[in-house]
Amino acid sequence: MYGCASAPPSSRPLLLTSPQNRTTQFSNLHTRNKESHFPHLKSISATLNSPRGFGPKKPKKSKPKPEEEAKSEQEPEWEEEEEEEEEEGVIPEIVTNRMIRRMGISVGIPLSIGLLFFPFFYYLKTGLKVDVPNWVPLIVSFVFFGSALAGVSYGIVSTSWDPLREGSLLGWNEARKNWPVFWNSLRGGSGRK
């Protein structure tokens, strides 16, 4: 009654005749139980098995039938233009890789410096017995962690958004050119009319 295990939900009983059958039946039973107790795992495993990224979903092209070929010859050119406009908003992979590299540097350096100050202040206080006020490590960490946060935006803006041009080392010229575009996109002005 209480605490009794129920029989597995199966249309046929477990037949334990050979080791292969036992393994197969156990894995089927295990999968069924996992799906019934954790239905959200199915969608997670589907996501992990086929990652698609952040770009728009690409339409699958199939071989057109002869009837469809005749129709496709009569389709207007504006459909092709719509496809080109959809691809226009996608950031090229080479530019994305540049942004990630710049963000890693512009975030990583101030963040690591800010983290290294904690053991430094600890050593000053305990090892050298220097009376460091509590607000000093707070202000120092605030400055370096804040600059690391600003480094995310600077990493994006200082990258050359032209896939054919690498850009400068610090990216100051690119940042001056890209800041207005970045601020307009944050304000909601997409620039399209």
Side-chain angles (χ1 to χ4, degrees):
M1 268 188 179
Y2 303 119
C4 290
S6 62
S10 173
S11 60
R12 58 186 172 149
L14 292 174
L15 300 175
L16 302 176
T17 55
S18 70
Q20 287 180 338
N21 283 345
R22 281 185 233 145
T23 306
T24 306
Q25 289 175 355
F26 177 74
S27 64
N28 289 341
L29 174 66
H30 181 67
T31 306
R32 260 194 317 266
N33 286 339
K34 190 170 30 170
E35 287 176 1
S36 64
H37 293 298
F38 304 107
H40 60 280
L41 288 180
K42 192 173 190 179
S43 62
I44 292 173
S45 66
T47 303
L48 294 176
N49 289 336
S50 63
R52 287 184 291 180
F54 296 108
K57 190 174 184 179
K58 295 182 181 177
K60 295 182 180 178
K61 295 183 179 178
S62 62
K63 293 182 181 179
K65 296 179 182 176
E67 298 169 359
E68 293 177 0
E69 287 180 4
K71 290 180 184 178
S72 65
E73 291 175 3
Q74 298 171 357
E75 289 180 359
E77 293 179 12
W78 58 270
E79 288 181 0
E80 293 174 4
E81 291 174 5
E82 283 181 1
E83 290 177 3
E84 290 175 4
E85 288 177 7
E86 287 177 2
E87 292 177 4
E88 213 171 272
V90 177
I91 299 173
E93 186 177 353
I94 191 166
V95 175
T96 305
N97 292 340
R98 277 189 220 145
M99 286 182 183
I100 291 172
R101 187 173 47 242
R102 282 196 185 256
M103 280 191 292
I105 292 170
S106 62
V107 170
I109 291 173
L111 184 66
S112 59
I113 291 172
L115 289 174
L116 288 175
F117 266 109
F118 288 120
F120 173 71
F121 286 125
Y122 178 77
Y123 174 72
L124 283 177
K125 199 158 198 145
T126 59
L128 300 178
K129 304 291 186 210
V130 176
D131 188 26
V132 179
N134 289 337
W135 58 269
V136 173
L138 178 72
I139 296 297
V140 169
S141 64
F142 181 76
V143 166
F144 281 104
F145 293 158
S147 61
L149 184 63
V152 173
S153 297
Y154 186 75
I156 293 171
V157 173
S158 68
T159 304
S160 172
W161 292 352
D162 182 12
L164 302 176
R165 196 170 57 89
E166 184 68 29
S168 62
L169 179 66
L170 295 177
W172 186 247
N173 293 330
E174 288 83 8
R176 286 192 330 210
K177 185 174 76 172
N178 295 335
W179 270 119
V181 177
F182 186 71
W183 281 111
N184 285 337
S185 69
L186 288 178
R187 290 183 190 145
S190 61
R192 292 184 184 175
K193 292 182 181 178

